[in-house]
Amino acid sequence: MRLLVLGGTKNLGRHVVEAALRDGHDVTLFNRGLTNPELFPEVRRLVGERAAPDVLATGEWDGVIDMSGFLVPQVRRSAELLRDRVGHYTYMSSIAVYASKVTPGMDESAPLLDWPDGAPEDEFTMDIYGPSKVRCESLLSATFGERAAAVRSGFVVGPYNPDFGNWGTALAHETRMESAARPSQPVQYVDARDLADFLLRLTTERVSGPFNAVGPTRTMAELADAWRSVVPDAAPVDWSPAVDRFHLPHDGSNDGTFRLDNRRALAAGLRLRADEEIARDYVAWVQDGNVPPPPPH
Ligand SMILES: NC(=O)c1ccc[n+]([C@@H]2O[C@H](COP(=O)([O-])OP(=O)(O)OC[C@H]3O[C@@H](n4cnc5c(N)ncnc54)[C@H](OP(=O)(O)O)[C@@H]3O)[C@@H](O)[C@H]2O)c1
């Protein structure tokens, strides 16, 4: 398939490009050429800004995977430009779209965030991250109809991606894993490679609608045990670290965010590798000399 990837060179997007090349797709990248410009020298590049994507004004693709859509006006502009020249549009969204952070078992039909009063659409702040994803999903659905999909994920782990606080690095270097979340904190995550395969699958199979692309819920303690099991004699987890790593509120006010219903994504083909495999591969990647980017949490 002729595939256009908006982004594609940082954390998640590079897995998408790797998966697409592995499967023999004809990939075009659109980005500014600033992030890891040495990657994928064999791939055609369209260099440009999302704010002024004139370079997208010509060309035809069977599918688009949009990894770099944060601001509503920018996503609207590329959607308008591409509407009649692409097949399927798969948008990387987020679990931050949901209005409730406490309701357990939310599926894709759960209420979404409203737009914050008076907030401008074109100035990125974390306050508009979730609401912008909501608006982008909505405008893409209005523009592309059944040709649009939106993928909602939260924590993403794997090579090139920030791990859980210091977990991968700690296991690789035989130091203590740290977590500022309570051990009973529910958590969901997805391996970046599984997420990339899912984004690609939705696009090549032209599947529409929103999807919670997250793994099963477990507690932080269960997850830590699974990760610790991949190295011999792993040290106990430090649950009260001096540094604020892997922080999640202790009062349960964010628990619903990690009790999402992922059955729609599983039915559409999301494959989830085991925690132990994810941890083992991540630790091996660090032991090979790779340095994870700074964790955002
Ligand atoms: N845990 C997570 O990381 C997580 C969870 C849920 C959802 N997401 C979503 O996943 C996506 C981000 O993943 P990622 O950063 O790993 O994606 P990526 O596709 O690997 O990296 C971002 C890409 O966007 C390009 N880009 C950035 N600003 C641009 C601009 N103004 N104009 C044109 N291109 C631009 C960058 O290249 P240049 O710098 O060279 O332009 C880079 O290729 C986002 O949509 C995010 O909301 C992430």
Side-chain angles (χ1 to χ4, degrees):
M1 141 183 277
R2 294 166 305 165
L3 186 67
L4 172 64
V5 178
L6 308 183
T9 57
K10 194 177 170 192
N11 299 340
L12 315 184
R14 65 192 282 177
H15 287 283
V16 171
V17 178
E18 285 179 4
L21 295 175
R22 174 201 67 203
D23 291 353
H25 296 294
D26 173 8
V27 177
T28 302
L29 294 181
F30 167 77
N31 55 52
R32 296 166 302 178
L34 300 178
T35 305
N36 300 319
E38 73 287 356
L39 287 178
F40 312 121
E42 70 277 34
V43 166
R44 187 159 77 104
R45 263 174 197 274
L46 300 174
V47 177
E49 253 286 348
R50 287 219 56 148
D54 306 347
V55 72
L56 296 179
T58 56
E60 290 189 357
W61 293 273
D62 304 303
V64 180
I65 301 182
D66 183 349
M67 302 300 294
S68 57
F70 293 96
L71 291 175
V72 178
Q74 297 186 357
V75 172
R76 186 179 294 122
R77 180 81 187 110
S78 40
E80 284 164 358
L81 266 179
L82 292 168
R83 176 173 41 210
D84 300 324
R85 292 178 292 105
V86 300
H88 200 78
Y89 197 114
T90 301
Y91 177 62
M92 188 64 219
S93 186
S94 169
I95 59 172
V97 293
Y98 292 109
S100 170
K101 306 295 177 208
V102 292
T103 309
M106 288 186 289
D107 68 15
E108 291 81 354
S109 65
L112 304 181
L113 287 169
D114 289 327
W115 189 261
D117 280 346
E121 278 188 333
D122 56 357
E123 273 173 45
F124 184 78
T125 63
M126 279 316 286
D127 286 346
I128 65 158
Y129 178 67
S132 286
K133 291 290 190 187
V134 172
R135 281 203 172 171
C136 290
E137 283 191 16
S138 165
L139 79 87
L140 289 168
S141 172
T143 307
F144 291 92
E146 292 295 302
R147 297 186 290 135
V151 174
R152 301 170 179 169
S153 296
F155 286 123
V156 182
V157 176
Y160 323 130
N161 287 267
D163 60 352
F164 292 158
N166 73 337
W167 287 17
T169 316
L171 293 172
H173 299 312
E174 300 181 24
T175 57
R176 294 185 75 171
M177 287 161 48
E178 297 173 345
S179 172
R182 68 192 197 282
S184 61
Q185 163 77 43
V187 64
Q188 287 174 301
Y189 75 123
V190 65
D191 184 277
R193 297 161 296 180
D194 295 333
L195 178 58
D197 285 342
F198 186 57
L199 286 156
L200 197 55
R201 175 187 279 256
L202 294 179
T203 312
T204 56
E205 296 182 1
R206 297 180 162 82
V207 187
S208 59
F211 296 90
N212 290 336
V214 297
T217 297
R218 69 268 281 132
T219 66
M220 197 71 86
E222 289 166 344
L223 182 59
D225 283 346
W227 274 60
R228 289 173 63 248
S229 74
V230 306
V231 302
D233 303 321
V237 179
D238 184 351
W239 292 106
S240 54
V243 288
D244 190 19
R245 290 183 194 267
F246 205 163
H247 178 76
L248 289 168
H250 282 227
D251 60 3
S253 60
N254 208 3
D255 284 6
T257 301
F258 301 106
R259 285 186 172 138
L260 297 176
D261 182 336
N262 65 358
R263 284 177 295 181
R264 185 163 197 270
L266 293 176
L270 173 64
R271 298 279 170 264
L272 297 167
R273 62 194 80 198
D275 294 324
E276 290 79 3
E277 182 184 348
I278 297 170
R280 200 174 293 114
D281 289 354
Y282 198 95
V283 170
W285 180 75
V286 176
Q287 286 170 335
D288 278 347
N290 296 293
V291 179
H297 305 284

